[in-house]
Amino acid sequence: MARILITVGPTYEPIDAVRFIGNRSSGKLGSSLADRAAELGWEVRILLGPNAVLPIEDGVDVIRFASAQDLQDALGQHLAWCDCLVMAAAVADYRPKACEVDCSGKRRRTGGDLSISLESTPDLLAGCSKNARSNQLLVGFALEPADELEASALRKLGEKNIDLIVANPLETMDADAIHARLIGNQDRGMNIDQTTDGSISKDAFAAWLLGHLDSLVAERISPAHTNTESTSHVKL
Ligand code: CTP
């Protein structure tokens, strides 16, 4: 049975022992994907962020992460296991610089303004692409303003060097429904461009996306997984 690794939910980037920079990702979509994939018979492992909706199906293997760094480490450990990676997590693009972070205690109010320097996080999906086997299918998400959706999705497919991107309008983040477009990277032999039939529930979207992934993964994978592939770790 094919193996799918799904990253779900937000990252929390610590400032001190009690504060963080986060985002409003609920993890609903990633968890729906995990549940539907398990129902359809995939082997499912998810990397689940803080405060994200838990999948309910038995048999979904759940590994927790909090920050982008944790997620990077977890991907290094679990990427080789899967046939298909779906990066549904909302990874922070910036985090406080290490010199700003003190998790041994709490920053005290000193009065006046406070500035915290941020640094870019690495693009984890691009890192996965550099370390993936050629028969692994890599899927990203792009949350875009409607008028930039296609151009931006195509740019991200190239920059990250991944197979597929699910582009959806900004409003999707907190909503229960999604109007998505699945675009393939022609440079990697993926001639697919499909749009959902209007706005559909996240559950219906999960079934729709998995229907496409199922046949694409089947074309890609060789029948046998070797033990080496399922246990090897990489540093992204
Ligand atoms: N992603 C990632 N590593 C990051 C940031 C995002 O792997 N540091 C992944 C997300 O999981 C998602 C895709 O990349 O699958 C989103 O692409 P990104 O370029 O980060 O999109 P946005 O941040 O939404 O785009 P922009 O910076 O253009 O607003």
Side-chain angles (χ1 to χ4, degrees):
M1 194 42 68
R3 297 169 170 179
I4 190 164
L5 178 65
I6 307 170
T7 68
V8 183
T11 65
Y12 283 2
E13 307 304 326
I15 295 172
D16 64 17
V18 295
R19 301 185 182 89
F20 57 84
I21 296 176
N23 63 67
R24 291 190 298 149
S25 168
S26 63
K28 276 183 207 159
L29 197 149
S31 271
S32 277
L33 271 173
D35 281 333
R36 292 297 79 73
E39 277 173 7
L40 291 168
W42 294 68
E43 278 186 64
V44 188
R45 189 173 287 179
I46 67 167
L47 307 180
L48 185 73
N51 210 23
V53 174
L54 261 172
I56 49 178
E57 285 295 318
D58 288 340
V60 176
D61 189 9
V62 179
I63 291 134
R64 308 297 306 228
F65 69 83
S67 65
Q69 182 63 61
D70 300 338
L71 180 54
Q72 184 173 7
D73 295 343
L75 282 165
Q77 220 176 325
H78 298 284
L79 175 66
W81 171 85
C82 70
D83 301 305
C84 177
L85 168 69
V86 178
M87 277 290 287
V91 186
D93 287 328
Y94 293 93
R95 63 185 166 207
K97 284 186 173 170
C99 60
E100 301 273 11
V101 182
D102 180 4
C103 287
S104 65
K106 177 185 159 200
R107 267 174 192 263
R108 290 283 170 199
R109 183 210 296 267
T110 53
D113 297 342
L114 169 68
S115 298
I116 297 178
S117 310
L118 306 180
E119 64 181 11
S120 285
T121 55
D123 188 325
L124 303 186
L125 200 42
C128 288
S129 167
K130 290 196 181 97
N131 287 283
R133 300 185 300 275
S134 58
N135 64 352
Q136 289 179 296
L137 196 75
L138 304 178
V139 185
F141 278 75
L143 210 54
E144 306 291 347
D147 58 337
E148 295 166 24
L149 194 124
E150 178 170 349
S152 189
L154 290 174
R155 179 174 49 79
K156 285 177 187 176
L157 274 175
E159 282 173 3
K160 294 171 194 286
N161 191 26
I162 55 174
D163 297 293
L164 297 161
I165 199 144
V166 180
N168 48 83
L170 279 177
E171 300 73 37
T172 303
M173 190 133 180
D174 258 352
D176 288 322
I178 178 168
H179 186 181
R181 182 162 165 195
L182 178 65
I183 307 178
N185 186 344
Q186 301 203 344
D187 293 341
R188 289 171 64 108
M190 289 282 142
N191 296 312
I192 183 170
D193 187 349
Q194 296 283 333
T195 305
T196 57
D197 192 9
S199 197
I200 58 176
S201 73
K202 287 189 175 173
D203 267 349
F205 166 78
W208 178 86
L209 179 61
L210 287 163
H212 289 296
L213 297 184
D214 195 40
S215 45
L216 295 170
V217 167
E219 280 167 27
R220 278 271 175 106
I221 57 175
S222 55
H225 296 278
T226 68
N227 286 336
T228 330
E229 282 174 354
S230 60
T231 53
S232 62
H233 298 178
V234 290
K235 178 136 180 48
L236 296 187

